Amino acid sequence: MSDDLTERQKNVRKAVKHNVNHHRNPVVTTEEVAEEQDIPIDVALELLRDEPTVSSKQIGDHYVWW
């Protein structure tokens, strides 16, 4: 895995963990992670799917992460 990809992986993991607040905001969307990390949604989705420390659920056409 390249250093750039490893760094992106760490950043999306941090974005999920930072934005999830179990009382007010129990999940974060792929779009929110992409926006925060300034990356395309499809890149965020791929990185999040490959990240073993976050969980997800598909709701319709969207994924939520925690």
Side-chain angles (χ1 to χ4, degrees):
M1 188 178 284
S2 73
D3 289 340
D4 185 44
L5 184 57
T6 302
E7 191 62 32
R8 281 186 165 183
Q9 197 71 38
K10 289 178 188 176
N11 289 341
V12 296
R13 180 185 326 124
K14 287 178 187 176
V16 171
K17 299 301 181 186
H18 175 73
N19 287 310
V20 171
N21 175 314
H22 295 288
H23 299 290
R24 289 192 171 162
N25 193 21
V27 297
V28 63
T29 65
T30 308
E31 291 82 0
E32 290 171 320
V33 173
E35 184 178 306
E36 181 175 315
Q37 296 300 309
D38 196 28
I39 56 177
I41 292 171
D42 59 325
V43 173
L45 181 59
E46 181 179 339
L47 291 167
L48 287 162
R49 283 181 173 162
D50 291 342
E51 177 51 53
T53 65
V54 297
S55 298
S56 67
K57 180 176 183 177
Q58 185 173 4
I59 301 173
D61 293 335
H62 301 278
Y63 284 87
V64 293
W65 307 88
W66 62 93

